[in-house]
Amino acid sequence: MIDLKSLTYEELLEELLGRSLPKFRAGQIYEWTHRKLVEGFDEMTNLSKDLREQCKQIFTFTTLKMVDRQVSRFDGTEKYLFATEDGNMMESVLMRYHHGNSVCISSQIGCRMGCRFCASTLDGLTRNLTAAEMLDQIYRIQKMTGERVSNVVIMGTGEPMDNFDNVVRFIKLLSDERGLHISQRNITVSTCGLVPRMRQLADLKLQITLALSLHAATDEKRKTLMPIANRYTIAQLMEACGYYFEQTGRRLTFEYSLVKGVNDTKEDAELLSKLARQVMSHVNLIPVNPIKERDYEQPDTKFVEAFKKRLEKNHVNVTIRREMGRDIDGACGQLRKRHLDTER
Ligand code: SAH
């Protein structure tokens, strides 16, 4: 069986022509799937009953099932828990901003990167998500809310660069003019820093934003927070970021989760400034979201402000990420983790 929703239009066309079906059927099926966002072949009403049955013999049609939905009382942020066909769970978040709706999607079931402060990695990696499963997080949310999704960030559970081929396929389908046609400039991929994959991504010259989870300005400190730092140095990361900018012309984003007493000192801010000035970049400060499995804490607000001021003084572009959905297990992997824990 072929996973229909993961096919590009050209691939779908090839499958149909190979079975002596007419070309215009590819356009119809693609439109139902990626524009009208239907949940199965039975909704494709301009296909004959016979053709729909034939399609069911050839293709699987990925549709995620919504298991839970929580709406923040503070800011309208919505958190979704979806189940896959094989009974795995993933989470996605809808954030409403003045510039449009942004959806944060997961790229894997679990994660194997082991970042110390992150809830998504506590139970390890189960499997990669398919391109269809990534797309459907957005399709289901757009369908359920009836509101257009204009921005997508791959910052949910999983390491997108550890699922490279499917993520690239997903980006191409999402930005395809025959589908939702979300501009690549409105798509962000966040990585903990798999250097060879970052370079491979640069070579594709997509117009997406690459966000690097830096979280520390020295290798020594980074190693205490992120096991991946044992594999790649910050110097290697900076080189890869420079290469990404060269190839794509896209400014990088550096994510920096501020952890009280760990990476929030003046010296940290000075070292981070030096790094940020090495490449065209923008720093996004995120006061760490405490998870119950670890005792990391957020610095006091005035420390966060002082950290930001110091970067600004050094002419670094910096913003503090506005915290959304605090009351609904907003941070990476927390909702899924809670569901898994209650099941046990
Ligand atoms: N694996 C990718 C994308 C998923 S995580 C990556 O590492 O970038 C998205 C961002 O949220 C990363 O910057 C990650 O480090 C950060 N993050 C994870 N858990 C967090 C927490 N508890 N508090 C603050 N930021 C967190």
Side-chain angles (χ1 to χ4, degrees):
M1 297 279 269
I2 301 165
D3 173 16
L4 177 81
K5 204 175 275 182
S6 291
L7 297 182
T8 61
Y9 169 76
E10 290 73 21
E11 290 165 342
L12 172 62
L13 181 60
E14 205 182 304
E15 292 298 337
L16 297 185
L17 294 179
R19 289 170 176 83
S20 308
L21 288 163
K23 179 174 177 190
F24 76 96
R25 292 301 189 190
Q28 289 179 323
I29 295 174
Y30 199 88
E31 186 181 12
W32 283 113
T33 307
H34 298 281
R35 245 178 209 244
K36 297 184 179 157
L37 314 181
V38 297
E39 296 185 26
F41 291 106
D42 290 330
E43 288 179 57
M44 302 186 185
T45 48
N46 58 2
L47 268 53
S48 69
K49 192 121 200 294
D50 281 352
L51 180 55
R52 282 183 244 159
E53 291 310 313
Q54 194 183 347
C55 283
K56 289 181 202 170
Q57 302 301 312
I58 308 168
F59 302 110
T60 54
F61 196 95
T62 302
T63 306
L64 299 174
K65 262 204 263 348
M66 193 183 82
V67 180
D68 194 1
R69 175 191 198 177
Q70 299 191 0
V71 183
S72 169
R73 283 170 291 127
F74 301 145
D75 50 35
T77 297
E78 298 185 14
K79 186 133 190 176
Y80 292 82
L81 191 71
F82 290 114
T84 59
E85 194 70 34
D86 63 358
N88 281 301
M89 304 253 229
M90 75 189 83
E91 50 183 68
S92 325
V93 186
L94 166 69
M95 289 156 289
R96 294 185 168 92
Y97 294 105
H98 54 270
H99 63 261
N101 284 359
S102 184
V103 169
C104 172
I105 66 147
S106 295
S107 56
Q108 294 179 316
I109 303 287
C111 182
R112 56 175 177 164
M113 295 297 129
C115 298
R116 300 281 302 156
F117 44 82
C118 180
S120 290
T121 201
L122 291 167
D123 295 302
L125 176 69
T126 304
R127 68 167 173 84
N128 283 330
L129 291 181
T130 63
E133 288 166 334
M134 288 183 256
L135 283 173
D136 210 47
Q137 297 172 57
I138 298 154
Y139 292 1
R140 296 283 64 80
I141 289 175
Q142 175 153 323
K143 206 63 194 279
M144 269 182 280
T145 58
E147 297 168 33
R148 203 180 100 82
V149 173
S150 56
N151 288 69
V152 171
V153 296
I154 313 178
M155 287 192 186
T157 296
E159 169 47 51
M161 293 296 97
D162 191 35
N163 184 14
F164 189 87
D165 293 345
N166 289 337
V167 164
V168 168
R169 177 174 281 276
F170 159 78
I171 291 165
K172 289 184 173 160
L173 289 164
L174 186 64
S175 53
D176 181 7
E177 59 184 14
R178 289 174 185 268
L180 284 193
H181 196 19
I182 294 181
S183 161
Q184 289 188 358
R185 291 169 172 270
N186 295 340
I187 301 173
T188 298
V189 170
S190 177
T191 180
C192 66
L194 303 183
V195 167
R197 296 283 171 254
M198 290 163 69
R199 290 179 168 271
Q200 202 180 339
L201 186 70
D203 288 332
L204 296 177
K205 297 190 193 318
L206 302 174
Q207 281 300 297
I208 59 173
T209 299
L210 180 60
L212 171 66
S213 299
L214 197 53
H215 304 324
T218 65
D219 288 320
E220 204 186 347
K221 233 173 227 190
R222 198 162 185 265
K223 283 178 194 174
T224 67
L225 294 170
M226 305 171 75
I228 193 69
N230 293 301
R231 226 180 323 152
Y232 305 108
T233 62
I234 291 177
Q236 288 174 309
L237 286 171
M238 290 303 127
E239 258 177 59
C241 287
Y243 184 69
Y244 190 85
F245 181 74
E246 259 169 54
Q247 293 299 302
T248 63
R250 300 286 296 159
R251 185 176 81 159
L252 281 286
T253 296
F254 293 143
E255 295 165 276
Y256 194 96
S257 293
L258 280 163
V259 188
K260 186 176 185 168
V262 176
N263 62 3
D264 61 345
T265 65
K266 276 183 209 162
E267 201 199 349
D268 290 311
E270 291 300 334
L271 290 170
L272 177 60
S273 302
K274 284 210 184 98
L275 294 177
R277 285 196 313 250
Q278 278 180 35
V279 272
M280 283 291 282
S281 65
H282 169 263
V283 173
N284 205 199
L285 298 175
I286 317 156
V288 76
N289 233 311
I291 59 173
K292 71 172 196 303
E293 291 81 1
R294 303 272 189 265
D295 48 14
Y296 292 126
E297 289 173 44
Q298 292 187 350
D300 299 333
T301 317
K302 60 175 192 293
F303 270 83
V304 177
E305 281 299 331
F307 198 92
K308 176 173 179 250
K309 288 244 164 63
R310 198 162 281 276
L311 293 182
E312 280 171 343
K313 211 181 82 220
N314 293 330
H315 307 290
V316 172
N317 286 307
V318 55
T319 46
I320 299 176
R321 188 178 298 172
R322 192 151 64 88
E323 194 173 14
M324 296 179 87
R326 182 85 203 259
D327 52 330
I328 52 169
D329 291 322
C332 263
Q334 290 192 127
L335 178 63
R336 171 169 173 269
K337 180 83 179 102
R338 192 161 54 73
H339 266 259
L340 291 178
D341 288 348
T342 38
E343 267 177 22
R344 275 180 196 144

